[in-house]
């Protein structure tokens, strides 16, 4: 009898220690307040409620000694006051390991690609600390993309963070997709794609494109789409980073992490903050925006075991680069690629504004004296052309000096040479995609600046790969694009 009562006490103690029960006292949209008699759950603990415990709530604040306030990661339909809530004291976890390759996940680590379920995999907390400074690598290396305009003028850093800035519809997602195409092919690393608050159509197209190109086996995709609650969109970036950190720290592989779109992460934080009742700061953003963004961005690093290189699309509200979301994101990046609506309207793709874009890698000590001088000469030529545009529009080319006219001709040929047909847009444009090495791209720019092609029509340079393709006979009428 004593043995049985001792066993019951052990079971009761086990339950008390491992399963904690509370009850809902209010539900406001995605925010749920829960009352616990004792053992108040810690911040970030996952609580389960509703039918079959299908609704997950993450604790974000402890209101008093008996009440916590959490944000739901699923729609809260069906929750009501007085309902029971249970928790085992654990945080949100996602699967990591070799078997996640080629699969598509949601924020909970469930597969969403309609393929057979995954075997039991090791799971890790999505809330991890950034690598300590002692473990970080201090050497700077260039990360080549095969895209002329980026490799020549805005070199990316291995283990760095690059941002693609632009408003709606200027080609951020297309540029990201192209980088996956170019890098998964000849990079021995892993590609992680994290879709935060983007359209389901884009995720679906990307998945099918990667499958068709046989690149899916080297990729992992994690999505928190537009139609999901702000809690899920707010945590999906952390889930993707946890998967990426496994490949970097345990398998010592390089990871390319593509985030589309980091602004939606900030926006989800803004929604969560508003629901939690915090007073907004400037332009309605959450007062904790800097901290929340840093928690995510600081985990992306080049350590002694491997590198996570990140390329992030950043939606810029109303094309305003002084918006707090864009400003805070800028401070984390080693390169920023600004996409221009004006360039896109002229048909110059990728529509990169080369004078607005910059990279901290573009110094003689890192890319070499020759590359640096060439990049500076290209920038000066394009900047001078920009200054002359007003005169040309008012008075015409005829009023320019011979020297200025040569600069304009060089700049216009450079602009067209720095366009490139993409693999990602083959099906729409009908032009075969091309990947161009840094050597070929620099060679082409150098030869254009030395006036080797001044007798060629501008259209001969539009949408070609290396400069040798410009030798093909151009249209007789010298038609301009």
């Amino acid at each position: 009898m004593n043995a049985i009562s001792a066993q019951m006490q052990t079971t009761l103690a086990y339950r008390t220690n491992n399963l904690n029960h509370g009850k809902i006292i209010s539900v406001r949209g995605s925010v749920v307040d829960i009352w616990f008699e004792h053992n108040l759950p810690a911040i970030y603990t996952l609580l389960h409620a509703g039918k079959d415990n299908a609704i997950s709530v993450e604790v974000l604040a402890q209101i008093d000694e008996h009440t916590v306030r959490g944000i739901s990661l699923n729609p809260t339909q069906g929750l009501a006051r007085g309902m029971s809530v249970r928790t085992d004291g654990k945080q949100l976890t996602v699967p990591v390991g070799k078997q996640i390759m080629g699969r598509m996940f949601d924020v909970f680590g469930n597969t969403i690609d309609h393929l057979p379920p995954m075997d039991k995999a090791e799971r890790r907390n999505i809330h991890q600390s950034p690598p300590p400074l002692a473990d970080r690598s201090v050497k700077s290396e260039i990360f080549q993309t095969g895209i002329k305009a980026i490799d020549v003028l805005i070199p990316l850093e291995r283990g760095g963070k690059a941002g693609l800035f632009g408003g709606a519809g200027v080609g951020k997602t297309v540029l990201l997709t192209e980088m996956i195409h170019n890098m998964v092919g000849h990079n021995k690393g892993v590609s992680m794609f994290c879709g935060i608050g983007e359209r389901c159509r884009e995720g679906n197209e990307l998945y099918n494109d990667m499958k068709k190109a046989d690149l899916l086996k080297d990729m992992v995709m994690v999505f928190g789409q537009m139609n999901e609650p702000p809690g899920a969109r707010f945590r999906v970036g952390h889930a993707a980073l946890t998967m990426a950190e496994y490949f970097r720290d345990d398998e010592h592989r390089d990871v390319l992490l593509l985030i589309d779109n980091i602004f939606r992460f900030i926006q989800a934080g803004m929604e969560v903050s508003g629901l939690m009742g915090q007073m907004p700061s400037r332009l309605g953003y959450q007062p904790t925006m800097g901290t929340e963004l840093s928690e995510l961005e600081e985990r992306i690093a080049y350590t002694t075991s491997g590198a996570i290189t990140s390329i992030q699309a950043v939606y810029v509200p109303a094309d305003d680069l002084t918006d707090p979301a864009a400003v805070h994101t800028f401070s984390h990046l080693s390169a920023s690629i600004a996409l221009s609506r004006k360039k896109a309207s002229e048909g110059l793709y990728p529509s990169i504004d080369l004078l607005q874009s910059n990279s901290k890698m573009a110094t003689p000590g890192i890319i070499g004296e020759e590359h640096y001088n060439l990049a500076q000469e290209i920038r000066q030529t394009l900047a001078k052309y920009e200054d002359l545009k007003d005169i040309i529009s008012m008075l015409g080319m005829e009023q320019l000096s011979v020297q200025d006219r040569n600069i304009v001709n060089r700049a216009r040929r450079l602009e067209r040479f720095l366009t490139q047909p993409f693999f990602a847009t083959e099906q729409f444009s009908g032009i075969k995609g091309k990947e161009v090495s840094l050597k070929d791209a620099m060679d082409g720019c150098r030869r254009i600046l030395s006036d080797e092609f001044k007798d060629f029509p501008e259209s001969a340079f539009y949408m070609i790969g290396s400069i040798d393709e410009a030798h093909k006979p151009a249209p007789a009428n010298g038609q301009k694009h």
Side-chain angles (χ1 to χ4, degrees):
M1 190 73 181
N2 283 354
I4 292 169
S5 66
Q7 195 177 357
M8 280 172 70
Q9 277 176 339
T10 313
T11 311
L12 202 63
Y14 177 82
R15 275 193 187 155
T16 311
N17 292 337
N18 289 276
L19 269 189
N20 193 1
H21 290 267
K23 69 168 190 275
I24 294 174
I25 51 176
S26 84
V27 181
R28 295 185 311 284
S30 290
V31 173
V32 186
D33 287 1
I34 297 139
W35 184 86
F36 285 89
E37 192 171 349
H38 44 70
N39 293 353
L40 200 66
I43 304 286
Y44 298 149
T45 304
L46 205 59
L47 316 176
H48 303 282
K51 194 180 173 202
D52 302 328
N53 291 317
I55 295 171
S56 300
V57 177
E58 189 179 74
V59 177
L60 286 188
Q62 296 176 332
I63 309 292
D64 55 42
E65 64 261 40
H66 287 298
T67 318
V68 293
R69 180 167 291 167
I71 189 92
S72 173
L73 305 181
N74 320 80
T76 51
Q77 283 108 334
L79 284 192
R81 287 175 65 181
M83 265 189 177
S84 171
V85 174
R86 48 170 277 185
T87 175
D88 53 8
K90 291 182 179 152
Q91 296 181 6
L92 180 59
T93 60
V94 289
V96 296
K98 282 193 172 68
Q99 68 249 56
I100 68 170
M101 297 295 275
R103 304 300 300 265
M104 190 152 75
F105 298 93
D106 64 9
V107 69
F108 300 103
N110 303 322
T111 53
I112 49 173
D113 49 12
H114 305 298
L115 292 175
M118 235 171 43
D119 300 334
K120 283 274 180 248
E122 180 197 341
R123 293 180 79 92
R124 286 191 187 167
N125 278 358
I126 67 163
H127 299 283
Q128 303 282 350
S129 302
L133 279 174
D135 292 349
R136 296 190 182 222
S137 175
V138 290
K139 60 178 188 279
S140 296
E141 288 177 37
I142 295 295
F143 193 80
Q144 292 197 9
T145 62
I147 297 167
K148 290 182 282 196
I150 293 174
D151 287 345
V152 174
L153 289 161
I154 322 151
L156 305 186
E157 180 184 13
R158 179 170 176 237
K161 299 181 266 283
L164 298 177
F165 289 84
V170 291
K172 295 184 297 295
T173 303
V174 171
L175 203 50
L176 278 189
T177 314
E178 185 66 10
M179 287 182 180
I180 299 173
H181 260 289
N182 288 1
M183 287 179 219
V184 176
H186 53 72
N187 209 14
K188 294 288 172 281
V190 182
S191 261
M192 290 274 330
F193 184 87
C194 175
I196 307 179
E198 286 298 291
R199 299 164 191 84
C200 297
R201 169 185 61 76
E202 291 175 350
N204 198 29
E205 281 175 9
L206 182 68
Y207 181 80
N208 290 326
D209 287 350
M210 294 298 127
K211 201 170 181 178
K212 216 179 286 173
D214 195 31
L215 298 174
L216 206 55
K217 61 183 184 298
D218 295 310
M219 278 190 79
V220 184
M221 295 186 183
V222 190
F223 286 100
Q225 295 304 118
M226 239 174 203
N227 57 331
E228 295 186 36
R233 285 179 272 129
F234 194 42
R235 289 294 175 234
V236 73
H238 294 280
L241 257 169
T242 304
M243 294 175 179
E245 282 168 344
Y246 167 84
F247 292 112
R248 179 191 67 193
D249 301 336
D250 294 37
E251 294 200 359
H252 306 300
R253 293 170 76 179
D254 278 3
V255 184
L256 174 67
L257 173 67
L258 300 122
I259 301 178
D260 190 8
N261 187 304
I262 200 76
F263 171 77
R264 305 281 176 214
F265 167 77
I266 294 170
Q267 199 177 36
M270 183 162 77
E271 291 173 48
V272 168
S273 171
L275 289 165
M276 296 290 287
Q278 291 177 339
M279 277 289 286
S281 64
R282 201 170 139 237
L283 295 184
Y285 287 103
Q286 64 272 38
T288 50
M289 172 166 70
T291 321
E292 287 164 4
L293 190 60
S294 300
E295 278 172 3
L296 185 75
E297 296 277 14
E298 288 302 306
R299 289 170 65 182
I300 301 168
Y302 184 5
T303 68
T304 44
S305 55
I308 297 179
T309 303
S310 170
I311 297 167
Q312 308 168 8
V314 187
Y315 166 69
V316 179
D319 290 340
D320 173 19
L321 288 170
T322 61
D323 187 88
V327 171
H328 274 267
T329 310
F330 263 125
S331 62
H332 290 280
L333 304 174
S334 56
S336 54
I337 301 167
L339 300 177
S340 143
R341 195 170 301 284
K342 196 158 161 290
K343 282 272 172 78
S345 67
E346 290 173 26
L348 300 172
Y349 290 104
S351 54
I352 299 171
D353 186 331
L354 299 166
L355 298 175
Q356 284 272 346
S357 308
N358 57 62
S359 164
K360 69 168 197 180
M361 305 302 281
T363 61
I366 296 171
I367 57 177
E369 205 78 46
E370 186 194 357
H371 184 168
Y372 174 76
N373 291 339
L374 178 68
Q376 290 302 97
E377 197 182 339
I378 293 168
R379 280 183 187 278
Q380 282 162 10
T381 307
L382 294 173
K384 184 79 171 133
Y385 173 43
E386 201 61 40
D387 291 343
L388 293 170
K389 273 184 177 171
D390 287 344
I391 299 171
I392 296 168
S393 62
M394 287 189 290
L395 305 171
M397 282 277 282
E398 293 72 32
Q399 299 302 316
L400 297 181
S401 67
V402 174
Q403 190 186 358
D404 284 351
R405 222 174 299 171
N406 285 339
I407 286 172
V408 169
N409 286 333
R410 276 178 220 141
R412 288 180 66 86
R413 281 167 174 73
L414 275 172
E415 275 186 342
R416 278 147 187 76
F417 176 64
L418 292 172
T419 62
Q420 191 166 340
F422 280 175
F423 294 99
T425 55
E426 268 179 20
Q427 66 205 72
F428 310 114
S429 65
I431 308 171
K432 194 159 173 42
K434 293 195 170 72
E435 189 179 339
V436 184
S437 70
L438 175 63
K439 184 172 165 294
D440 287 348
M442 281 172 60
D443 180 51
C445 293
R446 196 178 294 108
R447 287 164 70 184
I448 288 171
L449 286 168
S450 64
D451 284 338
E452 191 180 317
F453 298 99
K454 65 169 188 266
D455 300 329
F456 280 67
E458 287 166 11
S459 57
F461 302 93
Y462 181 70
M463 286 294 170
I464 60 170
S466 67
I467 195 73
D468 297 331
E469 294 175 38
H471 288 295
K472 291 171 185 168
N477 58 2
Q479 187 186 338
K480 288 178 186 173
H481 286 259

